[in-house]
Amino acid sequence: ASGVQMSAMDEVKLAVLLSKRSKISLTGALDDACASRFGGLWLTNNLSMEVVLKEEVPRYEVVLYLPRRKVKTYSLRDVDMSWIRDLVYRAFKLAVRGQWIESIKINTYAYNLVFKYDLKPIHSAMRAGALIAGVSGKGPSVFALSDGGTRNIRRAWRAEGYENLLVTRIRELKRDELG
């Protein structure tokens, strides 16, 4: 109740800045923050805090597997990821061109080269009918998108011992809130 007026986008950018300053996040993940606040698909430059692309995507159902194992973001500050930069850039360019499913595949496998995550839940979700599955953010959480229901994915994951699941849906892009 400070009386300060700011746009919804400025609120998101402030939250991103604070998450970096408090060492909760290394990059601030402006894209994730925008998607959480406004819905849709967002591609951003986290260094310049600029939006590269925002677009509506189908409201696919999403299943998230949240492993008990956590990775503290700030513990990654000294991890050398420069050697996967070209792969990550290729994934980003594909997403900009609308090929975000291919982008997810490349991005997931690029980061897995560094972090060596268990890819079994991803493979299991794909076999169970997911449109695409991949590592969420820096991992180790995994997501699967479905355009035909999530029951088979959830069953497959539970049968393999992946129990901590969350089911949601991609949010519609709220253009009216962007100002």
Side-chain angles (χ1 to χ4, degrees):
S2 66
V4 174
Q5 297 288 320
M6 64 175 61
S7 70
M9 180 58 79
D10 286 341
E11 289 173 0
V12 169
K13 287 183 176 182
L14 178 60
V16 164
L17 177 67
L18 293 173
S19 73
K20 287 180 358 183
R21 284 198 181 156
S22 65
K23 300 179 181 172
I24 291 170
S25 175
L26 293 175
T27 67
L30 178 60
D31 54 345
D32 293 342
C34 287
S36 294
R37 175 64 174 85
F38 303 113
L41 171 71
W42 292 75
L43 300 174
T44 62
N45 179 324
N46 288 325
L47 294 176
S48 66
M49 298 278 282
E50 293 177 19
V51 173
V52 176
L53 174 81
K54 62 180 174 276
E55 70 178 44
E56 188 71 55
V57 293
R59 296 196 62 228
Y60 293 121
E61 288 182 82
V62 182
V63 184
L64 292 162
Y65 163 54
L66 308 167
R68 305 256 180 254
R69 172 181 168 232
K70 303 290 184 219
V71 175
K72 296 287 187 190
T73 299
Y74 203 68
S75 71
L76 304 176
R77 70 187 178 284
D78 295 324
V79 174
D80 178 18
M81 290 186 256
S82 63
W83 59 283
I84 64 166
R85 184 175 294 129
D86 290 343
L87 277 174
V88 172
Y89 182 72
R90 181 173 172 212
F92 185 83
K93 293 308 266 183
L94 283 169
V96 168
R97 291 196 305 261
Q99 297 173 295
W100 53 271
I101 289 177
E102 289 302 314
S103 172
I104 289 168
K105 290 177 190 174
I106 292 171
N107 197 65
T108 291
Y109 287 100
Y111 282 104
N112 191 58
L113 290 170
V114 175
F115 298 119
K116 310 283 190 239
Y117 292 129
D118 177 8
L119 297 180
K120 285 186 256 175
I122 294 168
H123 299 152
S124 176
M126 295 301 293
R127 284 191 304 274
L131 179 65
I132 188 64
V135 173
S136 179
K138 69 181 178 331
S141 296
V142 172
F143 70 92
L145 298 182
S146 174
D147 59 358
T150 62
R151 184 183 351 194
N152 290 342
I153 298 165
R154 288 181 284 135
R155 278 185 183 162
W157 278 355
R158 286 189 179 118
E160 295 179 18
Y162 306 117
E163 291 292 331
N164 197 19
L165 307 180
L166 175 70
V167 179
T168 188
R169 181 176 292 279
I170 293 177
R171 292 183 51 224
E172 178 181 353
L173 182 62
K174 304 288 186 191
R175 294 184 187 279
D176 59 323
E177 295 180 24
L178 294 172

